Amino acid sequence: MPGLPLFWRGNEGEVIMSILIKNAHIIGAAENFTGDIYIQGESIAAVGKNLDIQAEKVIDATGLLAFPGCIDPHVHLEMPFMGTFSSDNYETGTRAALHGGTTTVIDFILQSQGHSLYEAYNAWSGRANGHAVGDYSFHMAVTDFNENTSKEIIDLIEKEGITSFKIFMAYKGALMIDDKQMVGLMNEVKARGGMVTVHATNGDMIDFLIAKNRAEGKLAPIYHYLSQPEITEAEASERFASIAGYTGCPGYIVHMTCEGALNAVRDNNRHNQKVFAETCIQYLLLDASLYEQNFEGAKWVMSPPLREKKDQEALWAGINQGLIQVVATDHCPFKWEQKLLGKDDFSKIPNGHPAIEHRVELLYSEGVRKGRITLNKFVEVLSTNPAKIFGMFPRKGCIAPGSDADIVLFDPNEEHTINAATHHMNTDYSGYEGWKLTGKTKTVLLRGQVVIDDGKCLVEKGNGKYIKRNKVEGKI
Ligand code: URP
Ligand code: ZN
Ligand code: ZN
């Protein structure tokens, strides 16, 4: 494209910049070649080898990987939960995400039981709008399905671009809905072209085991793990998949941890019905032996809990078999003083752990470098699949003309160590303290703007845009 101007005018008064990224090793879910990326304004204008184009800014990416900005479809920012709030707000959370190469997050709005969906939507929008540094979107968690919520679902899909609805099969009395509500919601969401996502664990069984352990004076963090055995997740996953199959509603299981739940999806696929599955980076890399320490184990108290080595093997295999399409984080950070709320009783430890910043680097170092997944699979599960499943593709999730210029430039050889003193998340510990990784996010572009450069964030809060999503109806 010789002869293109360095600047041109967009809307009135707006000067649009151009950037040429040269000699990058470009990786997509299916591509893998060395070439150049030309960006005009917020979008990618051209991708190819030896592009002969002038640009205002040239970035030499020799020796670096370039892949589409990663999407984390499972985060909880400033979420009211278990008597406190998750400690990253929209500013700190999305900034930490950008540092690690995640340019878009999807957070969960939580309806309060007895209140409308729009009340919750307004509260979450108020916290996010003008505060987010990176791009964001919302799922809506329906905790009280009734006639009014049914009507609101239509508006949320059509007007707000919220096309995924979350249910909790656990956390009774706060978030859990029963099977009757689940069927009703699935019928409604299917009719409107949306998808239902699920926290699939058997809440009643877990509550029984929690009460039993507490009554027996078993109060240490390991009893969090022992109160949520694999069967509680396998059973709920099976039930969810069966009801999704019956209603025909597209389904997506969040934070899958274990072989039993994976087998529920596998069995379901044998009936020609597709339920998408997401695991999270911690379930691939960490195991339940971490709960064997005393209260330190509270750092990894999350639901579902960490599992066994055999489950990690099953999850890696599930990714390679295409049964698990997404690796997210379930980023739900708390400071140590918040975890101390449960120092005398595991059931009061706020559930969740920080991961939004390191998912990409951990998956590269532990997954790609160790030969567990290919580079293409890495991009597929971190970016392309979440974009497709959640209705943002091809705007997000690929490096192609017309797409948002969300690009990560990544040094595959740089070594570094995870350390709470230097991370950007608003937590005073890391679940991966001292882990030595190979591969580091160096430069991040979000909608054509360099937002991270060599460890520095170059944009302020308010830079992030709300992304309305399309209906996908379970087809990717
Ligand atoms: O422990 C977790 N996962 N906390 C966040 C809420 C949820 O269940 O996803
Ligand atoms: Zn959950
Ligand atoms: Zn979650």
Side-chain angles (χ1 to χ4, degrees):
M1 267 184 268
L4 273 174
L6 300 184
F7 295 101
W8 70 101
R9 301 200 89 75
N11 295 328
E12 202 184 336
E14 187 190 5
V15 177
I16 299 180
M17 287 193 16
S18 60
I19 298 179
L20 184 61
I21 299 173
K22 293 286 294 175
N23 294 322
H25 196 82
I26 299 169
I27 316 291
E31 310 77 36
N32 192 332
F33 67 99
T34 298
D36 307 336
I37 306 165
Y38 180 59
I39 297 163
Q40 293 180 334
E42 295 203 342
S43 309
I44 294 170
V47 182
K49 290 179 189 267
N50 303 315
L51 293 182
D52 181 17
I53 306 174
Q54 283 196 324
E56 195 222 345
K57 181 180 170 75
V58 176
I59 299 174
D60 179 7
T62 307
L64 301 181
L65 307 180
F67 48 83
C70 295
I71 297 168
D72 191 341
H74 190 157
V75 306
H76 302 279
L77 300 175
E78 216 178 330
M79 175 176 77
F81 189 52
M82 296 184 74
T84 183
F85 279 79
S86 56
S87 59
D88 266 317
N89 59 25
Y90 266 84
E91 181 182 354
T92 61
T94 58
R95 187 193 294 127
L98 288 178
H99 274 284
T102 294
T103 45
T104 304
V105 302
I106 315 183
D107 193 6
F108 292 88
I109 299 174
L110 303 184
Q111 177 194 21
S112 291
Q113 292 179 342
H115 295 262
S116 71
L117 299 181
Y118 260 91
E119 272 175 82
Y121 169 78
N122 291 334
W124 257 259
S125 294
R127 289 201 276 273
N129 189 5
H131 296 270
V133 186
D135 285 0
Y136 65 98
S137 190
F138 295 130
H139 310 277
M140 172 60 73
V142 178
T143 63
D144 188 356
F145 179 70
N146 55 50
E147 227 171 81
N148 292 338
T149 48
S150 257
K151 293 191 199 103
E152 289 185 296
I153 283 167
I154 302 172
D155 281 349
L156 286 168
I157 293 179
E158 301 298 337
K159 296 188 185 150
E160 322 303 344
I162 295 178
T163 51
S164 46
F165 296 83
K166 163 92 173 277
I167 54 171
F168 290 88
M169 295 169 79
Y171 304 121
K172 199 168 190 166
L175 304 173
M176 179 169 154
I177 64 168
D178 59 22
D179 292 354
K180 182 176 162 206
Q181 290 187 310
M182 190 193 317
V183 184
L185 177 69
M186 282 182 177
N187 279 335
E188 187 63 42
V189 169
K190 180 189 162 40
R192 307 297 165 195
M195 168 182 290
V196 171
T197 78
V198 67
H199 171 125
T201 61
N202 183 321
D204 283 323
M205 195 170 165
I206 291 167
D207 286 349
F208 169 81
L209 292 170
I210 290 174
K212 181 171 182 296
N213 282 320
R214 291 177 76 215
E216 292 170 4
K218 294 171 174 167
L219 299 170
I222 193 168
Y223 291 100
H224 170 79
Y225 164 63
L226 294 172
S227 299
Q228 300 202 31
E230 181 176 4
I231 186 68
T232 58
E233 189 179 334
E235 185 280 328
S237 302
E238 156 61 31
R239 183 160 31 110
F240 171 81
S242 297
I243 297 176
Y246 171 72
T247 59
C249 182
Y252 176 100
I253 299 177
V254 308
H255 57 36
M256 180 178 284
T257 71
C258 59
E259 193 181 13
L262 184 66
N263 282 338
V265 168
R266 185 176 271 126
D267 284 351
N268 202 257
N269 287 351
R270 288 171 50 228
H271 303 296
N272 298 325
Q273 200 240 323
K274 182 101 195 123
V275 169
F276 296 111
E278 159 202 292
T279 189
C280 298
I281 191 71
Q282 59 272 26
Y283 300 121
L284 292 166
L285 304 183
L286 306 175
D287 69 73
S289 60
L290 288 164
Y291 300 122
E292 284 162 16
Q293 338 171 35
N294 288 332
F295 193 70
E296 275 294 287
K299 288 179 184 167
W300 299 280
V301 164
M302 62 187 84
S303 291
L306 302 174
R307 303 283 185 200
E308 308 292 323
K309 296 248 187 268
K310 62 110 182 146
D311 296 300
Q312 295 178 344
E313 295 310 317
L315 296 175
W316 285 112
I319 290 172
N320 282 316
Q321 292 163 358
L323 287 168
I324 294 176
Q325 293 81 18
V326 174
V327 177
T329 60
D330 191 10
H331 176 73
C332 187
F334 297 100
K335 292 191 167 176
W336 189 241
E337 59 172 1
Q338 296 173 286
K339 287 281 181 181
L340 285 172
L341 291 169
K343 74 177 171 9
D344 299 321
D345 178 352
F346 72 89
S347 71
K348 299 199 165 51
I349 301 170
N351 285 201
H353 108 309
I356 205 167
E357 184 168 350
H358 294 122
R359 173 185 64 141
V360 176
E361 292 167 349
L362 281 165
L363 192 68
Y364 181 80
S365 194
E366 294 291 313
V368 178
R369 297 260 339 175
K370 294 196 172 166
R372 289 163 161 149
I373 55 169
T374 65
L375 258 178
N376 295 117
K377 185 59 94 175
F378 166 80
V379 173
E380 188 183 315
V381 297
L382 293 179
S383 182
T384 310
N385 278 348
K388 286 184 174 175
I389 292 171
F390 292 110
M392 294 186 279
F393 189 85
R395 176 175 181 187
K396 308 279 190 193
C398 59
I399 295 183
S403 297
D404 279 2
D406 298 352
I407 296 165
V408 180
L409 299 179
F410 190 88
D411 183 342
N413 297 313
E414 185 169 327
E415 296 180 357
H416 60 109
T417 304
I418 295 185
N419 183 338
T422 53
H423 73 200
H424 301 86
M425 298 176 287
N426 187 32
T427 48
D428 45 7
Y429 67 87
S430 168
Y432 305 89
E433 187 68 34
W435 279 46
K436 293 190 186 340
L437 304 186
T438 303
K440 185 145 188 43
T441 297
K442 300 301 290 178
T443 302
V444 179
L445 289 92
L446 174 62
R447 286 178 281 100
Q449 196 180 4
V450 176
V451 291
I452 298 290
D453 200 22
D454 214 8
K456 286 191 204 58
C457 182
L458 307 180
V459 286
E460 302 289 328
K461 69 178 187 173
N463 177 71
K465 248 193 196 173
Y466 174 64
I467 306 297
K468 287 189 180 183
R469 296 183 286 112
N470 300 321
K471 296 181 204 173
V472 176
E473 306 190 20
K475 296 179 193 70
I476 63 165

